Amino acid sequence: MKELQAIVRHLMAPAAPDGRALVLATLVAVEGSSYRRAGARRLFGPHGESIGSISGGCLEEDVSAHARAVAETGRAMLAVYDTTSENDLIWGTGAGCHGIVRVLLERIPARPEWAAQLAKNLRQGRPTELAVVWQAPAGAALGTVLAEQLPPPPPEAAVFRQTVSPAPTLFVFGAGDDARPLVRGAKELGWKVVVADPRPAFATVTRFPEADAVVVAPADQLVERTAPAAGAAAVVMTHHYVHDTPVLRGLLTRPLAYLGLLGPRSRADRILADLAAAGLTITAGQRARLRAPVGLDLGAEAPEEVALSILGEIQAVLAGRDARPLRERTGPIHA
């Protein structure tokens, strides 16, 4: 998501003064294993700059050479890379991915219509349907368009369709020092981050310059003021029982994708018991959804390590994975 956000920002900026073209490389199909999945992109600028990646680095040099040719001719092309051979040394890396990767390269203008719509939808929290035609009859156009503008393709055409969803939103309830690496890490992933805390001395833009929003309000009003939407992630970490309790009360009933509470299990049990005694009905589903203690068991101690364990757990939940080691996974990594 962060990669595509950066590409769209670049595309929506003013065009290069000399008017030279941009070339977009899109990984459109994968057979077998690949470092990146379909939808990975790399944008090549007119001055040798680039944004994004379509592999771990083993294909980039060759794709760059193709991009220069596409920039000159204006004709889109499909590059096919076969690394299924046991002697996968053709690219000089011995990558050993054992897959066939297809990459479409197309020359595009600054501010293409699909990028403008994608930028607008990302700002407004709406998904965008993209289509990349990478194989078509002679004379037909190849390239990226909004899916809604794509006419029914002929049977011999090949189209990669992609739903680009808005970046995940993480609500961090607590503005202590240990929240700062959590916010930085989430922004590094390209997520939207909101920080909320009842203490104005802690919840400041100066302390959280990366946050998209910083909210200060009484603890019992924080959830209403921030209004986490369905599918968002939230972590409660004020370190104060009297603050965590009303915040958790407001969050338990919301259809969040992830809800975590910092602190030992006994503390979480006490907060839930107090909420129940105060009249809040806590369903089995709500209790099961609460991650308390929050995070994966990484042996984390330092704030940065704790942030890593929390972000890892959130990523696993959002992706529908169980966070087991990849060596124990029997299915494909990129399902």
Side-chain angles (χ1 to χ4, degrees), residues 170 179-191 193 210 307 311:
L170 172 62
R180 299 173 74 178
L182 179 62
V183 172
R184 290 195 300 268
K187 291 305 295 182
E188 185 66 24
L189 293 171
W191 297 357
V193 182
E210 304 90 353
L311 292 171

Side-chain angles (χ1 to χ4, degrees), residues 64-156:
S64 296
H66 287 312
R68 290 191 291 271
V70 170
E72 293 176 2
T73 66
R75 294 192 298 271
M77 68 161 292
L78 183 71
V80 181
Y81 301 95
D82 187 346
T83 62
T84 56
S85 170
E86 290 299 324
N87 296 316
D88 171 28
L89 298 175
I90 188 169
W91 310 115
T93 62
C97 289
H98 297 285
I100 300 175
V101 173
R102 290 176 169 82
V103 179
L104 180 78
L105 295 101
E106 56 178 307
R107 194 168 75 177
I108 60 175
R111 305 180 69 85
E113 184 177 359
W114 62 264
Q117 186 62 51
L118 177 55
K120 179 180 178 181
N121 288 347
L122 288 174
R123 289 194 303 269
Q124 298 178 351
R126 298 198 305 253
T128 306
E129 302 290 338
L130 297 180
V132 184
V133 181
W134 56 271
Q135 181 175 292
L142 302 178
T144 304
V145 296
L146 293 169
E148 62 189 31
Q149 297 179 351
L150 180 68
E156 61 268 36

Side-chain angles (χ1 to χ4, degrees), residues 265-286:
R265 182 176 290 106
S266 58
R267 182 175 182 271
D269 290 341
R270 180 185 170 192
I271 291 177
L272 292 174
D274 286 350
L275 290 175
L280 179 66
T281 300
I282 303 174
T283 68
Q286 291 169 347

Side-chain angles (χ1 to χ4, degrees), residues 106-286:
E106 56 178 307
R107 194 168 75 177
I108 60 175
R111 305 180 69 85
E113 184 177 359
W114 62 264
Q117 186 62 51
L118 177 55
K120 179 180 178 181
N121 288 347
L122 288 174
R123 289 194 303 269
Q124 298 178 351
R126 298 198 305 253
T128 306
E129 302 290 338
L130 297 180
V132 184
V133 181
W134 56 271
Q135 181 175 292
L142 302 178
T144 304
V145 296
L146 293 169
E148 62 189 31
Q149 297 179 351
L150 180 68
E156 61 268 36
V159 181
F160 167 63
R161 297 179 183 272
Q162 181 183 24
T163 300
V164 181
S165 299
T169 301
L170 172 62
F171 291 83
V172 181
F173 292 93
D177 288 344
D178 57 347
R180 299 173 74 178
L182 179 62
V183 172
R184 290 195 300 268
K187 291 305 295 182
E188 185 66 24
L189 293 171
W191 297 357
K192 180 179 179 181
V193 182
V194 177
V195 177
D197 195 289
R199 300 163 294 179
F202 286 81
T204 68
V205 175
T206 301
R207 283 172 50 79
F208 295 94
E210 304 90 353
D212 296 274
V214 178
V215 178
V216 179
D220 59 356
Q221 298 178 23
L222 281 179
V223 175
E224 182 179 357
R225 287 279 302 275
T226 54
V235 177
V236 183
M237 51 188 306
T238 72
H239 294 277
H240 288 266
Y241 190 88
V242 294
H243 296 157
D244 282 357
T245 301
V247 170
L248 192 61
R249 179 187 183 95
L251 293 174
L252 278 170
T253 56
R254 289 181 174 262
L256 301 172
Y258 177 94
L259 175 57
L261 175 64
L262 189 71
R265 182 176 290 106
S266 58
R267 182 175 182 271
D269 290 341
R270 180 185 170 192
I271 291 177
L272 292 174
D274 286 350
L275 290 175
L280 179 66
T281 300
I282 303 174
T283 68
Q286 291 169 347

